[in-house]
Amino acid sequence: MKFTFLGTGTSQGVPVIGCRCEVCTSQDARDNRLRTSAMVETRGVRLIIDAGPDFRCQMLCAGVRHVDAILLTHEHKDHTGGLDDVRAFNFVDYPPAVHEVDIFAAPAAAAVVRKDFDYAFAANKYRGVPVIGLHEIDPAEPFEVKGVKIVPVAGHHSPRFTVTGYRIGPLAYLTDFKTIADGEVEKLRGVEVLVVNALRFALHDSHFNVDEALALVRRVGPRKAFLTHMSHEIGLHAVVEPTLPEGVRMAYDGLQIEMHEDFL
């Protein structure tokens, strides 16, 4: 299994438009963060987690020509705003083939996809609209994509919004979590790698801060953990990462990690 961080930033990305802080003006490429997204490649299956406004750029940078499915964590635009660009995957081999792109999402996120991209679901579509197969998942039930088992992990982004993380064998990926129930933490036991959001060091109403993310890492006990969905307020990568506990790293765009596939 290969896992690639396509983006590790927040809804504004880093640098933030107009900001002149030390992070936003940093020359260290690790401090430049596209909106949070990731790619999982295992047993010939390629999964993308979230497709925000930087989706097109991320696919081009990673050289992706085929996607088997997109897994959505929730409905916010920094995680869904790029879905129109799946059109490129529909028609990459056209003619003769048109490839439908499967999208998996919990009910609330699926409803927003239908609303925001209603033209893709119209009875009388105009030429060139995205060809989407939208699948509603039950966050309490595992599902499969081409034989790859995926275990949803439910949480809350805030009291108003739910969010769905995903466990795929030795990997668990959580972003935009603020709270997680004990039963959902149990789904994470035994993972080799845990990816978890950590917005900044100061507390936030709807995201884990660094301390909250590290508390979850301690509960789960993975071999390695990576922080993602980081804002410019977290500080410089080169300064902050050495202060983290052993086995915990700050992710950065383009970082790749590999894991054994013998779990499948």
Side-chain angles (χ1 to χ4, degrees):
M1 172 187 282
K2 182 166 70 173
F3 180 85
T4 304
F5 289 94
L6 301 173
T8 56
T10 57
S11 58
Q12 293 180 302
V14 183
V16 176
I17 294 172
C19 184
R20 302 301 297 169
C21 75
E22 64 176 358
V23 176
C24 289
T25 57
S26 170
Q27 298 303 302
D28 186 341
R30 297 173 299 179
D31 291 319
N32 293 333
R33 304 181 183 279
L34 298 174
R35 268 61 77 95
T36 294
S37 178
M39 179 167 64
V40 179
E41 297 170 278
T42 181
R43 300 289 175 90
V45 177
R46 179 178 286 128
L47 308 171
I48 305 296
I49 305 177
D50 287 334
D54 299 318
F55 178 69
R56 174 180 175 275
C57 175
Q58 290 163 338
M59 295 297 95
L60 290 170
C61 289
V64 176
R65 295 189 71 252
H66 171 79
V67 169
D68 290 294
I70 297 173
L71 314 179
L72 298 181
T73 60
H74 62 298
E75 59 268 31
H76 290 166
K77 289 296 174 290
D78 54 321
H79 298 263
T80 65
L83 285 174
D84 182 80
D85 282 319
V86 303
R87 290 181 295 154
F89 295 116
N90 297 151
F91 301 109
V92 68
D93 294 323
Y94 181 80
V98 176
H99 304 289
E100 182 176 84
V101 174
D102 289 316
I103 297 175
F104 293 83
V112 171
V113 171
R114 291 191 190 95
K115 175 177 68 70
D116 290 354
F117 302 95
D118 57 352
Y119 52 90
F121 303 97
N124 185 20
K125 299 181 180 67
Y126 63 84
R127 184 178 180 182
V129 302
V131 183
I132 292 171
L134 183 59
H135 308 272
E136 282 196 15
I137 64 169
D138 180 346
E141 296 294 335
F143 62 97
E144 289 191 0
V145 175
K146 294 189 174 180
V148 175
K149 181 181 178 181
I150 301 168
V151 179
V153 181
H156 273 85
H157 193 348
S158 70
R160 291 180 58 196
F161 298 107
T162 57
V163 64
T164 306
Y166 296 100
R167 178 172 181 172
I168 306 171
L171 167 75
Y173 181 92
L174 310 181
T175 189
D176 289 55
F177 273 61
K178 179 59 179 179
T179 60
I180 181 170
D182 291 345
E184 298 301 301
V185 174
E186 290 303 311
K187 295 180 181 179
L188 305 174
R189 300 294 183 195
V191 295
E192 180 180 352
V193 174
L194 174 64
V195 180
V196 59
N197 59 288
L199 187 75
R200 62 191 192 190
F201 282 90
L203 287 170
H204 191 272
D205 290 342
S206 59
H207 298 83
F208 283 155
N209 69 351
V210 173
D211 285 344
E212 290 167 327
L214 293 179
L216 180 62
V217 171
R218 289 192 295 270
R219 289 182 68 187
V220 174
R223 186 172 63 85
K224 292 183 180 180
F226 294 86
L227 307 183
T228 193
H229 203 281
M230 293 171 284
S231 78
H232 63 156
E233 296 177 2
I234 201 168
L236 295 167
H237 189 288
V239 174
V240 174
E241 186 172 75
T243 70
L244 297 175
E246 183 177 357
V248 181
R249 295 179 58 189
M250 296 172 74
Y252 56 86
D253 295 13
L255 175 64
Q256 293 185 338
I257 56 178
E258 295 193 4
M259 290 155 277
H260 295 297
E261 293 185 329
D262 55 6
F263 65 91
L264 292 174

